[in-house]
Amino acid sequence: MSKVLEVSDLTVAYGAIRAVRNVSFRVEPGELVTIVGANGAGKTTVLNALCGLRDIRGGRIRLGTTDITHLPPQDRVALGLSQVPEGRRLFPRMTVAENLEIGAYTRREAAAVAADLEWVLELFPRLRERGRQLAGTLSGGEQQMVAMGRAVMARPDVLVLDEPTMGLAPQIVDLVLDALRAINANGVTVLLVEQNAYRALEIADRAFVLESGEIVMTGTGAELLDHPDIRNAYLGYDA
């Protein structure tokens, strides 16, 4: 069973400006939860704070029974929290296979790593064909597949993703979201930040709406899809 992710009164500041203010939420084991909001609402800041990539002003972050608030990023990965960052951040001069192998750097059980690699290649068959190709020469969609595969290779309890469909062609968006649902169905808890609010809410068990660094609304994905304020503000049409 995956671990619960619990965030309590998270506050992140850039100088005197509080970009995230007293944000609290839980992601239960096995859930797929999305955070939606306008550009600049603080979504990426929340994810980076969870993963240890942003210093926080206040609050607590727990993964299962462990307080990870002040742990370095690599320790959070070892405990089961993996990130697919915005912009993918692959190693462009390394091959696809090498990028995927790096995802398993904290693991020692060779047979289990090999089995997970095979599963990643089943999720993204194109990566099997591209194994020896340099990651920097791939298309944007293929690079996103590598970034997701690399994170899965850490065998996370909780996977957080920042804008995984940004700039991708519609058919690749479908492939990425289908893979994300398959990852979640395989027992991985998912926390998703996604600018395409409609598609994110379609697949989410629950969702939080972030405005100016604060959570202003929560509900199931279906409830928020049907909420007139969400339709007007984020989905481009009125109720």
Side-chain angles (χ1 to χ4, degrees), residues 76-98:
R76 302 184 196 210
V77 173
L79 286 167
L81 180 65
S82 289
Q83 182 183 30
V84 180
E86 182 180 358
R88 300 177 280 270
R89 299 181 191 171
L90 302 179
F91 295 95
R93 296 188 179 183
M94 297 175 68
T95 67
V96 168
E98 289 168 338

Side-chain angles (χ1 to χ4, degrees), residues 193-208:
V193 160
E194 175 56 60
Q195 193 64 35
N196 188 333
Y198 184 87
R199 297 301 304 273
L201 292 172
E202 270 190 322
I203 66 173
D205 298 312
R206 290 190 301 122
F208 312 120

Side-chain angles (χ1 to χ4, degrees), residues 51 53 71 94 108 129 156 166 198 226 230-231:
C51 296
L53 302 175
L71 292 182
M94 297 175 68
R108 296 295 177 264
E129 305 166 10
M166 180 181 290
Y198 184 87
D226 201 41
I230 300 301
R231 289 185 175 191

Side-chain angles (χ1 to χ4, degrees), residues 50-93:
L50 296 182
C51 296
L53 302 175
R54 174 63 58 188
D55 291 335
I56 69 172
R57 183 69 58 86
R60 284 284 180 268
I61 305 166
R62 296 184 68 85
L63 183 62
T65 60
T66 304
D67 187 330
I68 64 170
T69 308
H70 301 295
L71 292 182
Q74 64 271 21
D75 289 354
R76 302 184 196 210
V77 173
L79 286 167
L81 180 65
S82 289
Q83 182 183 30
V84 180
E86 182 180 358
R88 300 177 280 270
R89 299 181 191 171
L90 302 179
F91 295 95
R93 296 188 179 183

Side-chain angles (χ1 to χ4, degrees), residues 9 76 126 143 195 216:
D9 296 320
R76 302 184 196 210
R126 200 171 303 184
Q143 289 188 15
Q195 193 64 35
V216 297

Side-chain angles (χ1 to χ4, degrees), residues 21 27 31 37 52 67 70 86-87 97 149 151 158 175 203 218 221 224 239:
R21 296 189 292 277
V27 182
E31 281 193 306
D67 187 330
H70 301 295
E86 182 180 358
V158 179
L175 188 155
I203 66 173
T218 65
L224 294 190

Side-chain angles (χ1 to χ4, degrees), residues 130-187:
R130 301 284 193 268
R132 296 183 179 179
Q133 190 168 332
L134 297 182
T137 67
L138 300 175
S139 69
E142 291 167 343
Q143 289 188 15
Q144 188 61 52
M145 296 174 204
V146 176
M148 291 175 67
R150 179 181 62 184
V152 168
M153 286 300 296
R155 190 172 277 190
D157 292 293
V158 179
L159 179 65
V160 300
L161 304 96
D162 193 0
E163 305 285 8
T165 72
M166 180 181 290
L168 302 184
Q171 65 270 28
I172 303 299
V173 169
D174 290 340
L175 188 155
V176 165
L177 293 179
D178 286 347
L180 187 55
R181 282 187 284 197
I183 291 166
N184 179 238
N186 202 46

